Amino acid sequence: MWNIIASHLPSWEVLFQALIVVAVPYLLSRMMSKTQYADHPPSKEESMEVTSQRDFTGKLNHDLEQVKNEFGQQADINIRSFCLGHSTQQAALLFVNGISDRELIDQHILKSLMCDLAYGDNHQAENVTYPITKQYLKDHVLAVGVIKEVDRVADVKTELLRGHAALMLDNSTSKVIILGTRKEITRSAGEPSSEILVRGPRMGFNESICDNTTLLRQHGEKADLTIVQIRVGERVEKELAIAYIKDVADEDLVQEVRNRIENITLDDIQDTGYIEQLIEDNFLSPFPQIQSTERLDRVVSALMEGRVAILLDGTPFVLTVPTTFNMLLQSPEDYYERWIPGTLVRILRYFAAFVSTFGPSLYISFISFHQGLIPTKLALSIADTRSGVPFPSLIEVLIMEVALEILREAGLRLPKPIGQTIGIVGGLVIGEAAVQAGIVSPLMVIVVAVTAISSFAIPQYNAGIALRILRFIAMFFAAIFGLYGVVLFFLLLCSHMAKLNSFGVPYISPAVPYRLQDWKDFIVRAPLKLMKRRPKMMKTNNPIRKE
Amino acid sequence: MKFNNQESLTTQQTVMIITNFILGIGILTLPRAAAEKVKTPDIWLSIIIGGLIAMLAGVVIVKLSQQFPKKTFYEYSQDILGKWLGCLLNLIVVGYFVAMSSVMLRAMAEVNILFLLEGTPRWAMIIAFMWVGFYLVIGGLSAITRLFQLIFPITVIIFFMIAGMSLKVFDINHLRPVLGLGLGPVLKGVQSTALSFGGFEIMLFLVAFMRDPKKANKAVLFGIGIPVIIYVTTALMVIGALSVDGVISLTWPTITLIKSIEFPGIFFERYESLLLVIWMMEIFTTFVITHYTAAMGFAQSFKKELRPFLYFLMPVIYIVALLPVDINELFALSNGVGNAGLVLFVFLPIVLLGIAKLRGGRT
């Protein structure tokens, strides 16, 4: 009896391994305990409002001095002093060279202040009382669409730097009139080169938030489109807009988006990419959890599904949240073409995603571990071609994969004609030469090529990158454990995706949880006649798309 | 928007958990285990009867759990039996889940060494598997449920594909005569087939998390029904291809069967790798849920956080998994666990339900 128990007592080795079992994940999780999106404390108190203090006195010389002091030695501030109409009342128009619309200032503002005012004097002298008040100017003279009044030097400065002009009057109230003369350098809304479709609208966003919201408005005029403006950036303030459709989008979702954006405290936000990284749920995940797109139609259809769009001034990329993995494999074209090709193309994309992630790892596991599982003839011919290869399959795959990634990275930044040359040189010459030299086997080149092509078939560039990263991890799993390693990696990947949320929506929806309603727009793109409801996973207020 | 982790389970999610829990080693060993006892081709009948018994037990468990809304077994056992006895029972149940989870791990390692990775040390395989499982488990029940739902369709599709392939070597004569020796042998096999349905006991805990606990009965029936179909299919195809005598002599008859199917011309020549892949996924689900449930037992008995116990159980499960010296001891342990489960979750719930009714009637 005692002997039986003794023979079963775990050895020191086992105990040590047991220790490792618990220690490694414990340490890892300690290190990563801060990865989850922590709900920040409610945004800090608004910076103290200085309301009572007035910087301006209504005396022109004093006020100008104030502004000059504020600007210091900067040369590009332009101060144009003049007299209103025929009177001797002094006035000054301030603007920053270059970013203000000179034509508007010269033709409309200065002209109306100097000439038209004088002309009006003769006819309606009884209406004009000197000194001329700001109210009179605003009511009768200034033919400018956007006007506001500010009374602090700092505000004047920001407005001037944004391209607006400031008008100051002598002998007047302590406020300064700001005239909307901002000049925007934009380009036309062409088709974005990163997301090209064969069929569908050729409209893309550009760098101006004004144009972008206009585009959205034009396409959603009847749809109760709500656009909320927020200013982000501590040092360089930028316009940011949250767009959603009021009676469709979930209010909690909108609020959550707002909260997360308001919690951003970065001094300069260059691109929506910054916002994406600052508001995503899990920054350790390889997957993009927020979709970014330049295409107008993509954003509009996202809004119609009850999602929320985030636009930033200065970038054509618009974010849409929540995002699921499925969305990254969809293309707007799926809906423009008839449903049968749409469905087939989608199935193809899922297959491509699988191949681009698991292709090389399956190759490694079959070549290095389970030769018995491939047909004998094939195994023999593989062995034949591999006989001269001096490396284990992992090294072989790594050589080709890394070379290919470098090639891709190099081709990305080159002008188009050279990029193609690089492709030919790299792909054909190096591949062929590597086989000839006996570094890699021909089958390997095929596997790598198919994998690469598959990863191009994924419509969203950043989703493709995610799968490329995962491919390398999968290769190492396969090199250690063979097919078992691939299965483990698949389970790990599934576990990760099962845990991942994007703004409260499971990342793997609509696959899971099962909602037959949402599966009409999953791997199969059902005929439009059947797609009567908005996706349930978005918890929309208004589930019916059409009767 | 609620950004909390714990969502309540829908009925169909509950079904998924039960099904994935039950499907485990059974796919590979059930035909042999049953054939050893029954010795006639009527194994599939034993499986159906075993499934019916499991359903009955499942319904009893649901009835019991419904007496205590929003409480798991670990919580209401103390209500029924008093603090100390309840605690003791909880520990036994935790022990059951730990042992079950260890058996899964070890079986996985053994099959892998036999069929896929000959030279690889056991500890490496088991540790890697446990880490992946742990990564999922710390995501909580909702992550576990989502993974189960994700894996289940893959499993079912591949399984029936393989089953379809085995039609090539299927011989209906191996299944005849039906009830040639009467019902006696069939009933003898029921005990070992019933063991394969271990897993429905998860309802002791799931009812508390269900959005609609009234539908728990439906969930348990479907949750056991799906494995019954899969097990019966397995038994039919294995016996149909290898005959009863052939099956008894094999350790892993299902794999042997798949190995014997050849479809030249398609990319693979042999398909046991596919079967092993889905089987490992099913083992993974069973391992994960047992690990989670065991840790939950500690956490709820002592009213503490869950996470420390998840850590604590990892080395325990690992050591228990390496206790059996060889595969026969593993099967012995597996049988022991199954029998313990039979007592714990078939007979005990009836007793507990009786006590609860009596007490409930009194107050």
Side-chain angles (χ1 to χ4, degrees):
Chain A
M1 178 67 191
W2 177 244
N3 282 340
I4 295 174
I5 294 176
S7 72
H8 283 86
L9 274 184
S11 66
W12 287 112
E13 261 175 43
V14 172
L15 291 179
F16 177 67
Q17 286 154 6
L19 188 71
I20 292 180
V21 166
V22 66
V24 172
Y26 180 70
L27 292 177
L28 276 180
S29 83
R30 280 302 291 271
M31 277 162 60
M32 301 189 174
S33 56
K34 293 188 180 82
T35 64
Q36 297 302 319
Y37 187 86
D39 277 329
H40 290 284
S43 58
K44 57 193 183 317
E45 294 296 309
E46 294 299 313
S47 52
M48 300 123 298
E49 289 285 327
V50 190
T51 44
S52 55
Q53 185 200 332
R54 289 207 171 134
D55 295 330
F56 296 113
T57 55
K59 296 279 172 270
L60 187 63
N61 287 339
H62 172 265
D63 292 353
L64 276 179
E65 210 52 46
Q66 288 260 349
V67 177
K68 277 179 189 163
N69 283 341
E70 182 73 24
F71 273 89
Q73 299 300 315
Q74 287 179 53
D76 55 356
I77 169 105
N78 200 330
I79 302 176
R80 169 75 166 93
S81 301
F82 57 94
C83 294
L84 288 176
H86 286 167
S87 71
T88 53
Q89 190 182 5
Q90 288 279 325
L93 190 70
L94 295 84
F95 56 89
V96 176
N97 285 335
I99 56 173
S100 307
D101 190 343
R102 282 294 289 279
E103 194 189 332
L104 180 68
I105 291 172
D106 294 352
Q107 296 289 325
H108 295 96
I109 299 172
L110 283 177
K111 191 170 172 230
S112 53
L113 284 170
M114 295 161 82
C115 309
D116 296 351
L117 197 59
Y119 174 73
D121 286 351
N122 300 336
H123 292 273
Q124 300 159 314
E126 68 275 14
N127 286 348
V128 186
T129 49
Y130 290 93
I132 294 171
T133 60
K134 282 182 176 148
Q135 197 56 45
Y136 179 81
L137 288 183
K138 275 163 69 182
D139 289 349
H140 300 283
V141 181
L142 291 169
V144 180
V146 182
I147 273 188
K148 72 175 177 182
E149 288 186 271
V150 297
D151 53 7
R152 292 182 51 213
V153 175
D155 293 339
V156 172
K157 185 181 177 186
T158 39
E159 294 296 341
L160 284 178
L161 287 177
R162 290 174 66 200
H164 299 308
L167 177 65
M168 293 178 173
L169 287 189
D170 202 12
N171 294 328
S172 176
T173 53
S174 62
K175 293 201 168 162
V176 171
I177 302 179
I178 302 293
L179 306 164
T181 56
R182 182 187 170 102
K183 184 169 72 180
E184 292 200 332
I185 303 169
T186 60
R187 57 189 173 89
S188 58
E191 177 163 43
S193 59
S194 63
E195 296 163 88
I196 295 174
L197 295 187
V198 177
R199 180 175 180 179
R202 306 248 179 256
M203 284 288 239
F205 291 110
N206 64 17
E207 280 79 2
S208 151
I209 196 170
C210 244
D211 291 4
N212 292 348
T213 44
T214 314
L215 283 175
L216 278 185
R217 283 250 182 253
Q218 275 179 4
H219 287 258
E221 48 189 331
K222 275 188 185 171
D224 264 336
L225 180 70
T226 311
I227 296 177
V228 182
Q229 301 263 1
I230 302 179
R231 300 192 69 83
V232 290
E234 303 280 292
R235 202 166 278 274
V236 180
E237 279 206 340
K238 279 201 174 155
E239 298 263 341
L240 181 142
I242 302 176
Y244 58 95
I245 291 175
K246 204 174 176 190
D247 54 354
V248 175
D250 184 15
E251 278 135 38
D252 293 332
L253 172 68
V254 176
Q255 195 52 45
E256 176 68 22
V257 173
R258 248 197 118 126
N259 286 346
R260 289 194 191 182
I261 287 176
E262 278 166 359
N263 274 322
I264 295 176
T265 50
L266 202 65
D267 62 351
D268 177 22
I269 293 171
Q270 299 273 359
D271 185 272
T272 39
Y274 282 51
I275 295 174
E276 176 184 346
Q277 293 170 58
L278 289 169
I279 66 175
E280 68 190 354
D281 289 66
N282 182 352
F283 66 85
L284 281 178
S285 170
F287 293 105
Q289 294 143 58
I290 293 173
Q291 192 174 27
S292 62
T293 178
E294 285 184 81
R295 292 197 67 91
L296 174 66
D297 51 347
R298 231 184 200 155
V299 174
V300 171
S301 67
L303 291 177
M304 293 300 171
E305 283 178 355
R307 294 162 70 196
V308 175
I310 301 167
L311 300 87
L312 183 73
D313 197 18
T315 173
F317 284 95
V318 175
L319 305 179
T320 47
V321 292
T323 299
T324 68
F325 185 67
N326 179 41
M327 289 170 192
L328 300 176
L329 293 183
Q330 291 179 354
S331 160
E333 213 171 351
D334 301 352
Y335 303 95
Y336 303 147
E337 283 297 341
R338 297 184 60 254
W339 74 277
I340 298 175
T343 303
L344 288 176
V345 168
R346 272 198 189 172
I347 294 172
L348 198 67
R349 277 197 214 113
Y350 271 90
F351 180 69
F354 178 81
V355 170
S356 90
T357 317
F358 291 101
S361 50
L362 286 174
Y363 171 80
I364 292 176
S365 56
F366 282 119
I367 295 297
S368 297
F369 291 88
H370 320 296
Q371 299 90 344
L373 297 182
I374 34 185
T376 325
K377 273 185 190 165
L378 183 63
L380 284 177
S381 74
I382 293 174
D384 210 31
T385 56
R386 262 185 66 79
S387 59
V389 179
F391 306 116
S393 57
L394 174 69
I395 304 294
E396 191 191 359
V397 177
L398 272 181
I399 291 174
M400 282 316 280
E401 283 286 345
V402 170
L404 191 87
E405 294 296 325
I406 295 173
L407 204 71
R408 192 198 303 237
E409 192 60 24
L412 206 62
R413 323 229 171 272
L414 287 173
K416 253 185 194 161
I418 308 181
Q420 283 171 356
T421 324
I422 285 280
I424 295 167
V425 171
L428 295 180
V429 180
I430 295 185
E432 182 64 24
V435 172
Q436 292 282 324
I439 300 176
V440 298
S441 65
L443 183 71
M444 176 65 243
V445 176
I446 296 174
V447 169
V448 170
V450 169
T451 312
I453 297 168
S454 304
S455 72
F456 288 131
I458 292 160
Q460 287 255 308
Y461 182 67
N462 50 5
I465 295 181
L467 297 183
R468 272 153 67 189
I469 301 167
L470 295 171
R471 177 197 309 158
F472 281 90
I473 307 174
M475 274 153 51
F476 284 103
F477 268 83
I480 300 172
F481 287 124
L483 192 60
Y484 172 62
V486 178
V487 174
L488 265 193
F489 178 72
F490 179 74
L491 287 171
L492 185 66
L493 195 64
C494 289
S495 303
H496 175 68
M497 288 171 93
K499 285 167 73 171
L500 205 55
N501 278 320
S502 171
F503 287 82
V505 175
Y507 196 59
I508 35 171
S509 23
V512 166
Y514 299 160
R515 290 196 188 106
L516 288 180
Q517 203 48 259
D518 288 1
W519 281 3
K520 284 178 188 164
D521 190 12
F522 175 33
I523 293 178
V524 172
R525 204 281 277 162
L528 284 179
K529 282 191 177 178
L530 296 180
M531 296 215 275
K532 290 180 182 166
R533 286 167 185 278
R534 301 180 204 284
K536 229 175 173 179
M537 57 186 173
M538 297 302 167
K539 307 187 187 96
T540 51
N541 289 337
N542 182 352
I544 312 281
R545 244 176 211 281
K546 66 170 211 172
E547 298 302 326
Chain B
M1 189 175 294
K2 284 197 192 84
F3 283 87
N4 60 350
N5 220 341
Q6 213 63 271
E7 300 156 12
S8 54
L9 299 170
T10 62
T11 312
Q12 143 260 102
Q13 281 171 328
T14 319
V15 172
M16 281 301 109
I17 296 182
I18 303 173
T19 307
N20 277 302
F21 191 171
I22 293 178
L23 292 176
I25 327 188
I27 301 180
L28 299 191
T29 57
L30 178 62
R32 175 182 48 80
E36 275 173 356
K37 294 269 162 56
V38 183
K39 294 198 173 70
T40 66
D42 302 322
I43 298 169
W44 54 277
L45 263 177
S46 312
I47 295 174
I48 293 176
I49 296 173
L52 289 178
I53 292 176
M55 284 181 187
L56 212 64
V59 170
V60 172
I61 283 177
V62 167
K63 274 273 165 311
L64 177 63
S65 292
Q66 281 170 342
Q67 304 277 319
F68 303 90
K70 296 276 162 215
K71 276 187 172 179
T72 68
F73 174 77
Y74 293 128
E75 287 163 327
Y76 64 69
S77 68
Q78 299 186 358
D79 291 358
I80 299 177
L81 294 174
K83 199 172 177 204
W84 294 110
L85 215 53
C87 230
L88 185 71
L89 184 62
N90 286 354
L91 284 183
I92 295 172
V93 173
V94 168
Y96 165 83
F97 281 117
V98 167
M100 191 150 177
S101 140
S102 302
V103 167
M104 292 298 147
L105 275 181
R106 183 62 185 272
M108 183 273 304
E110 292 301 329
V111 171
N112 257 337
I113 285 177
L114 206 57
F115 294 102
L116 283 178
L117 297 165
E118 266 151 39
T120 314
R122 276 187 190 85
W123 59 266
M125 281 192 278
I126 294 183
I127 289 178
F129 198 80
M130 288 183 82
W131 285 346
V132 175
F134 181 76
Y135 178 71
L136 176 66
V137 163
I138 49 173
L141 194 58
S142 57
I144 297 177
T145 321
R146 279 185 215 161
L147 181 90
F148 282 20
Q149 286 184 306
L150 198 60
I151 281 180
F152 181 70
I154 304 174
T155 320
V156 169
I157 291 171
I158 295 185
F159 175 79
F160 281 104
M161 208 174 80
I162 294 172
M165 283 178 181
S166 74
L167 282 180
K168 203 177 166 191
V169 286
F170 184 81
D171 182 359
I172 191 81
N173 288 326
H174 286 152
L175 288 170
R176 285 177 185 154
V178 175
L179 290 180
L181 296 177
L183 265 177
V186 173
L187 293 179
K188 243 189 271 169
V190 165
Q191 194 211 355
S192 64
T193 56
L195 290 188
S196 302
F197 290 98
F200 60 84
E201 64 267 19
I202 194 69
M203 279 314 272
L204 285 170
F205 316 99
L206 287 189
V207 177
F209 297 112
M210 282 181 73
R211 193 175 298 164
D212 191 359
K214 282 186 192 120
K215 288 192 183 152
N217 265 330
K218 209 171 118 192
V220 86
L221 294 184
F222 275 96
I224 298 173
I226 296 171
V228 166
I229 295 172
I230 289 180
Y231 280 157
V232 168
T233 316
T234 314
L236 285 180
M237 79 191 193
V238 170
I239 304 289
L242 302 174
S243 82
V244 181
D245 300 326
V247 168
I248 294 177
S249 59
L250 297 165
T251 317
W252 310 100
T254 317
I255 300 182
T256 315
L257 161 70
I258 306 297
K259 265 186 149 176
S260 65
I261 309 171
E262 282 203 1
F263 271 89
I266 314 179
F267 187 76
F268 295 111
E269 209 158 65
R270 284 154 46 194
Y271 293 87
E272 79 258 29
S273 56
L274 278 181
L275 180 73
L276 285 174
V277 165
I278 60 166
W279 181 73
M280 274 189 270
M281 289 181 186
E282 284 308 323
I283 290 279
F284 182 76
T285 56
T286 312
F287 165 69
V288 163
I289 194 78
T290 44
H291 183 187
Y292 184 80
T293 320
M296 187 168 80
F298 276 125
Q300 293 191 339
S301 303
F302 302 128
K303 300 195 171 52
K304 293 264 166 56
E305 282 276 305
L306 181 70
R307 210 175 236 243
F309 294 108
L310 287 174
Y311 284 115
F312 167 71
L313 281 176
M314 298 242 291
V316 177
I317 293 174
Y318 179 78
I319 291 172
V320 176
L322 287 187
L323 280 185
V325 178
D326 54 24
I327 198 150
N328 292 327
E329 282 194 15
L330 177 66
F331 284 139
L333 178 63
S334 167
N335 260 334
V337 171
N339 287 330
L342 219 55
V343 176
L344 275 176
F345 304 116
V346 177
F347 301 115
L348 198 65
I350 301 175
V351 177
L352 288 180
L353 185 62
I355 299 176
K357 284 264 183 202
L358 280 180
R359 286 208 171 172
R362 229 187 297 150
T363 47

